[in-house]
Every structure is written in structure tokens, then in C-alpha cells.
């Protein structure tokens, strides 16, 4: 990765969510809904404190005026797909919930129309990380809690607000990074890997040491839709085609609560207290608050 691209990624990662001041109407809804109180009102404007923000995207979703927005990576990705450049997409399994059923078989053709050479599925990385998570959980200290690290917003929260729990994080990269490594191993280290998914925090993950230079760009599904519109690509006009990788069925469930547990083949009948699945920042906070320093 050259210095210019690294600088661009660092800027995006440091300011993933920001305020469009012209749209801010002083309703302060974002201040009320931010789960970590990372928004301060200054001179009548609700500004994000980046060093406190966990990049969960709650304020973007809740802002009625669209004043809170996600920094776009479209200019960066368009540069990556210029002619003669090798590019691959790793698309998160949650794409099945974003697109209509009839669109799913046309999505690979639409991505290729954007200039993407190889269309892969992040479920391959999710499967690999799930199996590694199971192995580590079985090998590491008995009785000590182990926290999966697939979600960058969760990792951000622990690092910023409960650093005493960092020791409980599994020493594994996310499915996004794992799949990107597989793609570069199979297709060549010079290929540019673009991850597409629903998560705002994935953009902040780009500059982590274990991810930098492995994943080259992150787009949200909304950005992908904008890109299709800009290029005049209509999914109804695209032919049906296959992904370049077959999905791993179990890993297609990965985005659901307990998806890692299911993908790893762990026995979860709902009564196994050794396996806990939580969602929502409130659920995460309550779970983490229950872990004592001595655990």
C-alpha cells in the first residue's frame, strides 16, 4: 500500500462519522442516543468527539436531518478499479438481507460491471475465524471468558471504555481480514481487496496493524448503491451469474446473533451457559459489566 492510499485510509478511519453542520438543526437527538456519550454540543452544533466514538453508527441512523453522515470511500475505490488494476470484492453475508431475492443472482454481474475482477464472499473468512475461535476457546484458560473480535465497534468499546477486558479478546482478526488474506494468497499480493458490508466501524478497522495493507477499502451497502446509481447500473438489466466463490452455508448465518457459535458447530441449545450471545450496545455493556477483573 502506497503512502497516499495509507494517508487516505487513515483520514477516513479517524473521521468515519462526522457532522454536516449546515444540516444540524439543534435537535440534539444524536446526543441522547449515542451509547457512549461521544457527542458534544459546541456553539450550537453537535460535534463528534472522535477519540470517544466507537464508530457504531447509531447517530447516523437516528439523525432526522441526516447531519451525521459516514465519510465516503467512493473516490478511493474508483481509483482502485481503473482499467488493468486487479481488484476483488469480499461481500459480507448480510447482503442477502439487503437486496431483494431476485437481485441476489444479478449482484455478481453488477459488481463486475463496476470493474471488479473477482467477486468473493466474506463467509469464507467467517468460517475460518469461527473454527479458530472454537479451537482457542477450548485451549485457553478454563473458566476465563473469551470475547470474539469479529465486531470492530465492540473492540473499539472495550479498548476505550473497558481496557481491563482487552486480555479476554481472542487474538484473531475479523472475518473481513481473514478473507482478504485468503484472496491475496490465492490471487496475488498485488490485488486490491474491497470489503462491502453494513458496518460503519469496518472503516475504522482498516488502519489496525493486522488489517492495514490486507483490506484496501471498505464500502457500506449504501455506498455500493450510490456507486451503482452513478454508473447507471440497474440490477434488473444485469444478467444472472455466479459469485467466483461458492458460499459456505453455515457461515451465511454469521451476521445473526449467535452466528459465530452456529458456524463453529458448537452445541448451543439455549441452556449452555458457557456460550453467551448478545446484541445491541446495551446488551454488550451489561454482559461486559458482568465480567469481574479476577475472571
Amino acid at each position: 500500500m502506497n503512502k497516499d492510499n495509507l494517508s487516505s485510509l487513515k483520514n477516513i478511519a479517524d473521521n468515519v462519522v462526522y457532522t454536516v453542520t449546515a444540516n444540524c438543526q439543534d435537535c440534539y437527538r444524536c446526543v441522547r442516543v449515542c451509547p457512549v456519550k461521544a457527542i458534544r454540543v459546541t456553539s450550537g452544533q453537535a460535534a463528534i468527539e472522535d477519540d470517544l466514538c466507537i464508530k457504531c453508527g447509531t447517530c447516523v441512523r437516528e439523525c432526522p436531518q441526516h447531519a451525521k453522515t459516514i465519510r465516503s470511500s467512493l473516490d478511493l475505490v474508483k481509483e482502485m478499479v481503473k482499467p488493468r488494476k486487479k481488484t476483488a470484492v469480499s461481500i459480507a453475508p448480510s447482503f442477502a438481507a439487503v437486496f431483494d431475492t431476485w437481485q441476489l443472482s444479478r449482484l455478481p454481474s453488477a459488481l463486475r460491471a463496476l470493474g471488479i475482477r473477482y467477486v468473493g464472499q466474506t463467509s469464507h473468512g467467517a468460517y475460518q475465524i469461527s473454527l479458530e475461535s472454537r479451537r482457542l476457546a477450548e485451549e485457553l484458560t478454563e473458566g476465563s471468558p473469551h470475547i470474539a473480535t469479529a465486531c470492530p465497534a465492540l473492540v473499539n468499546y472495550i479498548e476505550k471504555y473497558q481496557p481491563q477486558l482487552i486480555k479476554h479478546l481472542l487474538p484473531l482478526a475479523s472475518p473481513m481480514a481473514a478473507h482478504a488474506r485468503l484472496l491475496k494468497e490465492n490471487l496475488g499480493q498485488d490485488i486490491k481487496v474491497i470489503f462491502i458490508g453494513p458496518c460503519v466501524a469496518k472503516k475504522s478497522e482498516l488502519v489496525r496493524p493486522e488489517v492495514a495493507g490486507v483490506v484496501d477499502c471498505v464500502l457500506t451497502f449504501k455506498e455500493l448503491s450510490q456507486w451503482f446509481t452513478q454508473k447507471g447500473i440497474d440490477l434488473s438489466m444485469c444478467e444472472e451469474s455466479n459469485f467466483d466463490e461458492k458460499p459456505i452455508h453455515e457461515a451465511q448465518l454469521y451476521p445473526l446473533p449467535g452466528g459465530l457459535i452456529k458456524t463453529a458447530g458448537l452445541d448451543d441449545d439455549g441452556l449452555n451457559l458457557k456460550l453467551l450471545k448478545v446484541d445491541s450496545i446495551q446488551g454488550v455493556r451489561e454482559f461486559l459489566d458482568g465480567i469481574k477483573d479476577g475472571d
Side-chain angles (χ1 to χ4, degrees):
M1 178 177 292
N2 62 43
K3 291 182 179 180
D4 290 339
N5 278 347
L6 186 58
S7 178
S8 297
L9 292 178
K10 184 69 168 62
N11 183 56
I12 291 171
D14 285 345
N15 303 277
V16 170
V17 184
Y18 68 100
T19 303
V20 179
T21 55
N23 292 349
C24 185
Q25 300 298 312
D26 305 335
C27 72
Y28 307 137
R29 179 172 176 80
C30 59
V31 177
R32 295 193 296 272
V33 301
C34 178
V36 292
K37 307 304 178 187
I39 300 176
R40 302 285 184 266
V41 177
T42 305
S43 301
Q45 295 288 317
I48 296 170
E49 299 284 339
D50 198 65
D51 59 335
L52 301 177
C53 180
I54 61 172
K55 317 297 190 283
C56 66
T58 300
C59 60
V60 177
R61 183 176 65 253
E62 296 289 338
C63 179
Q65 306 299 331
H66 307 293
K68 294 295 179 287
T69 190
I70 302 166
R71 193 165 299 280
S72 176
S73 302
L74 282 178
D75 288 342
L76 180 61
V77 78
K78 287 175 184 176
E79 182 66 26
M80 290 180 180
V81 299
K82 282 186 175 180
R84 295 185 297 279
K85 289 190 176 181
K86 294 167 60 180
T87 52
V89 152
S90 172
I91 190 164
S94 51
F95 77 89
V98 175
F99 295 93
D100 291 335
T101 302
W102 67 268
Q103 295 175 317
L104 300 180
S105 60
R106 292 171 168 81
L107 186 58
S109 292
L111 289 166
R112 293 183 185 108
L114 292 172
I116 306 298
R117 298 277 195 91
Y118 187 94
V119 184
Q121 300 202 42
T122 320
S123 60
H124 287 260
Y127 183 68
Q128 182 186 70
I129 293 302
S130 295
L131 295 184
E132 276 296 292
S133 296
R134 174 176 181 166
R135 182 185 66 80
L136 285 175
E138 291 173 345
E139 290 181 359
L140 294 176
T141 307
E142 180 69 24
S144 177
H146 309 301
I147 304 172
T149 53
C151 174
L154 168 64
V155 175
N156 290 340
Y157 177 76
I158 289 175
E159 289 178 342
K160 293 184 177 185
Y161 294 96
Q162 301 221 33
Q164 76 279 6
L165 300 180
I166 291 176
K167 62 186 177 183
H168 296 302
L169 292 171
L170 289 175
L172 295 171
S174 67
M176 173 184 79
H179 187 225
R181 287 198 186 98
L182 288 174
L183 290 173
K184 294 204 171 191
E185 288 172 5
N186 295 331
L187 304 175
Q189 293 299 318
D190 59 332
I191 197 163
K192 299 294 184 182
V193 177
I194 302 158
F195 173 79
I196 302 175
C199 182
V200 178
K202 286 295 184 185
K203 289 178 181 278
S204 69
E205 189 182 352
L206 274 181
V207 293
R208 286 185 171 275
E210 66 272 20
V211 180
V214 179
V215 180
D216 297 282
C217 188
V218 167
L219 294 181
T220 62
F221 287 123
K222 183 177 181 179
E223 285 176 294
L224 177 61
S225 178
Q226 292 171 345
W227 196 8
F228 283 151
T229 300
Q230 292 173 9
K231 294 286 288 186
I233 296 172
D234 185 344
L235 283 167
S236 67
M237 302 300 292
C238 295
E239 66 178 1
E240 294 186 358
S241 63
N242 295 320
F243 287 85
D244 291 304
E245 294 175 337
K246 291 183 179 180
I248 296 179
H249 177 68
E250 297 90 342
Q252 295 298 94
L253 302 174
Y254 200 88
L256 301 174
L260 184 152
I261 294 171
K262 184 70 174 179
T263 304
L266 291 166
D267 181 20
D268 179 25
D269 58 3
L271 300 175
N272 187 347
L273 298 181
K274 291 185 177 181
L275 299 173
L276 297 178
K277 48 184 180 286
V278 294
D279 58 354
S280 80
I281 187 63
Q282 182 60 33
V284 166
R285 184 184 288 114
E286 291 175 0
F287 165 68
L288 296 178
D289 287 345
I291 300 177
K292 299 180 175 61
D293 287 343
D295 288 343

